[in-house]
Amino acid sequence: MVGTVFLGGRVTRGKKLFTPGPLGTSHTVKKAMLKDVGSRDVEFVDTVKYLRNEIIKMQSRVILNLIIMATSFNATMVDNTQEQLTCGVELSDFTCIPMQGSGTYAVESVFQSAGPSPQGKVLILENGAYGKRMKKICELMQLPFFIASFPENEIVDLSRVEKILEKDDSFTMVSIVHCETSSGVINPVESIGEVVKRFLPDSIYFVDAMSSFGAIPIDLEKGNIDFLVTSANKCLEGVPGFSLVIARLNKLLVCEGKSRTLSLDLFDQYEGLEKSGQFRFTPATHSMLAFKQALHQFNDEGRADNIIREYQENREILRKGMRELGFEEFLDKSHEGYIITSYQFPKDPNFDFTKFYQLLNDKGQVIYPGKVLDAECFRIGNIGHLFPDDMRHLLRCLSDVCKEMGLKLRS
Ligand SMILES: Cc1ncc(COP(=O)(O)O)c(C=O)c1O
């Protein structure tokens, strides 16, 4: 059991989580939970309001970052653009609805509340376990759907999506996962959104950006995205307990009375929050206090400005170190995702994943089993409160474990 770990000058309690979640959080995020607050207290109601607004405001920041990346830096232009984006139509078109529960609850709430009526149909574009989970949800809810499957080690192919939509215009909703956390593949959700609305302008386009929101820019407007879900405990670095739905208002407001479950009714949740600022049912108060601190860390303390570079650096250190140790990635080099990496089980007869996992765990380093169907893999994430020193320490531990297990990975 690992108590307090000192790494690179940072103090953390517990183990280092190189997983798809739950993920590590900063000391101040954990500390923010050390108090009780009533769900009707002004402090809590204000916290919820703040969180909802900040998430929508972050979207304008994403657009701004994309504009800055696409143009040469010009301070006047940036100032003007920021003003337009934070005051403009873009922000008032969307709302943020926190939902109690893990990410799957948010995914399910979107299907439940905005899913098709019996005359409609969902097109699920899937290339991994979380896309397949959407299928399971639709099956259980008895929603009409068609699932288009793509290889797990490739992105969803735009031209095939075009062909599907050319042949069949009966879809009323299209859903896709942004970062397929089962492999690490990043799907081109913005280009797919353009195609979806070209063929089906009135449809609902739903993106599961659970493990990428905050760290990989997504332009909701450009991508024509109507519903996007993420979790408090992924790249925004809060603790688990609730998830977030970003909804285009005009698509949400027509969902009134559609849900067949009470707790997952997105419209009802939205209306409750708008009317009284309160949740309908017991909210994750401590997680929300932590999330407020996480957003402060993200937006005001500079994490947002650096997160892409820092996660990419984590990933590069991991990539280089794992290659030196002799591990092979599941995805080919053209996939440049920087959230999580799947590694193939080494061919060495001494390799046993349970033992490998346990020995690393004993050193306070938590990795994760694979989730792809077609290959035996394990996964190493580099998101959450992780930094280059953490990645280097993990690599030292991995090297020690390879020696302890007598693995000879390099030919
Ligand atoms: C892309 C994606 N969708 C959905 C989920 C499900 O989230 P949860 O396990 O929080 O329910 C995850 C979890 O990692 C995910 O990565």
Side-chain angles (χ1 to χ4, degrees):
M1 183 68 198
V2 175
T4 304
V5 180
F6 294 90
L7 281 177
R10 292 172 205 273
V11 182
T12 186
R13 287 194 172 73
K15 297 182 179 185
K16 284 283 170 187
L17 306 177
F18 301 91
T19 69
L23 297 170
T25 55
S26 72
H27 186 63
T28 56
V29 165
K30 288 189 268 285
K31 209 170 137 200
M33 290 187 290
L34 293 178
K35 89 175 174 193
D36 301 320
V37 59
S39 63
R40 285 162 194 269
D41 284 1
V42 174
E43 183 192 351
F44 185 67
V45 170
D46 285 350
T47 299
V48 175
K49 192 172 168 198
Y50 167 81
L51 302 181
R52 294 183 64 212
N53 285 338
E54 278 301 293
I55 290 293
I56 298 300
K57 272 206 270 170
M58 273 173 59
Q59 180 55 25
S60 68
R61 193 173 184 147
V62 166
I63 299 170
L64 186 70
N65 281 342
L66 292 173
I67 293 170
I68 294 170
M69 275 188 231
T71 55
S72 57
F73 188 78
N74 174 323
T76 320
M77 187 215 93
V78 169
D79 280 353
N80 292 341
T81 313
Q82 183 137 38
E83 190 140 314
Q84 280 163 25
L85 288 168
T86 45
C87 308
V89 184
E90 287 89 349
L91 296 184
S92 56
D93 282 351
F94 291 94
T95 187
C96 170
I97 312 154
M99 293 298 285
Q100 295 95 327
S102 77
T104 309
Y105 289 68
V107 176
E108 210 155 345
S109 76
V110 173
F111 280 116
Q112 186 58 249
S113 311
S117 55
Q119 301 89 283
K121 191 163 57 170
V122 188
L123 170 62
I124 304 169
L125 304 168
E126 79 75 20
N127 55 345
Y130 293 106
K132 290 186 179 72
R133 189 174 292 179
M134 287 178 166
K135 171 178 179 251
K136 193 165 183 188
I137 290 171
C138 290
E139 277 169 352
L140 288 169
M141 286 183 191
Q142 300 184 336
L143 296 179
F145 71 90
F146 172 76
I147 182 155
S149 294
F150 298 79
E152 287 178 300
N153 57 351
E154 287 175 22
I155 57 171
V156 166
D157 173 25
L158 206 58
S159 58
R160 218 185 113 202
V161 175
E162 274 181 328
K163 284 195 191 102
I164 295 169
L165 295 176
E166 249 163 29
K167 276 203 209 122
D168 188 345
D169 65 358
S170 66
F171 299 108
T172 46
M173 183 184 220
V174 178
S175 65
I176 189 169
V177 174
H178 183 219
C179 172
E180 221 340 313
T181 328
S182 50
S183 62
V185 166
I186 311 291
N187 285 316
V189 291
E190 288 171 9
S191 322
I192 289 175
E194 286 175 49
V195 170
V196 166
K197 294 295 168 106
R198 178 152 36 94
F199 285 91
L200 306 166
D202 299 327
S203 64
I204 286 171
Y205 183 42
F206 170 30
V207 174
D208 170 351
M210 206 68 72
S211 60
S212 51
F213 185 80
I216 302 183
I218 306 174
D219 185 334
L220 295 181
E221 287 293 0
K222 186 164 167 256
N224 295 314
I225 298 169
D226 299 308
F227 291 89
L228 178 143
V229 293
T230 189
S231 153
N233 178 238
K234 292 279 196 274
C235 300
L236 298 176
E237 302 182 9
V239 305
F242 68 99
S243 43
L244 300 157
V245 179
I246 299 178
R248 193 182 288 273
L249 267 175
N250 64 356
K251 294 288 166 83
L252 173 72
L253 295 178
V254 294
C255 296
E256 184 171 4
K258 277 186 77 183
S259 174
R260 279 173 293 156
T261 79
L262 185 63
S263 56
L264 296 178
D265 188 335
L266 210 49
F267 177 85
D268 214 32
Q269 182 95 334
Y270 164 77
E271 200 180 46
L273 287 168
E274 287 291 306
K275 277 190 179 154
S276 65
Q278 291 167 15
F279 281 83
R280 298 170 302 158
F281 314 121
T282 306
T285 42
H286 295 83
S287 304
M288 292 197 133
L289 293 177
F291 195 60
K292 186 178 176 192
Q293 173 57 26
L295 285 187
H296 174 66
Q297 191 176 268
F298 200 84
N299 291 328
D300 309 325
E301 289 179 1
R303 185 68 161 149
D305 298 330
N306 301 321
I307 196 161
I308 297 179
R309 188 182 44 74
E310 287 174 348
Y311 282 178
Q312 283 176 340
E313 194 181 342
N314 286 350
R315 155 90 164 121
E316 262 326 293
I317 292 168
L318 178 72
R319 186 172 228 186
K320 185 165 171 286
M322 288 297 274
R323 208 182 298 134
E324 278 166 15
L325 287 173
F327 288 97
E328 281 178 35
E329 291 184 20
F330 171 66
L331 298 179
D332 73 37
K333 289 197 178 55
S334 60
H335 297 286
E336 289 298 334
Y338 47 87
I339 301 291
I340 193 162
T341 311
S342 289
Y343 286 97
Q344 304 194 22
F345 279 7
K347 306 253 172 346
D348 190 307
N350 287 336
F351 184 78
D352 168 48
F353 179 70
T354 311
K355 190 169 173 201
F356 183 70
Y357 174 90
Q358 195 52 52
L359 287 171
L360 276 170
N361 205 291
D362 293 345
K363 297 179 193 307
Q365 314 295 299
V366 183
I367 62 162
Y368 224 59
K371 216 175 169 76
V372 288
L373 288 181
D374 293 341
E376 287 200 304
C377 290
F378 62 89
R379 286 177 290 167
I380 300 184
N382 51 252
I383 56 171
H385 203 64
L386 289 175
F387 297 88
D389 279 351
D390 299 318
M391 305 316 290
R392 289 188 199 100
H393 185 69
L394 169 70
L395 286 164
R396 281 193 292 276
C397 293
L398 277 159
S399 170
D400 289 348
V401 167
C402 288
K403 281 185 204 131
E404 285 166 44
M405 290 179 73
L407 300 178
K408 293 190 185 56
L409 306 183
R410 303 206 58 79
S411 45

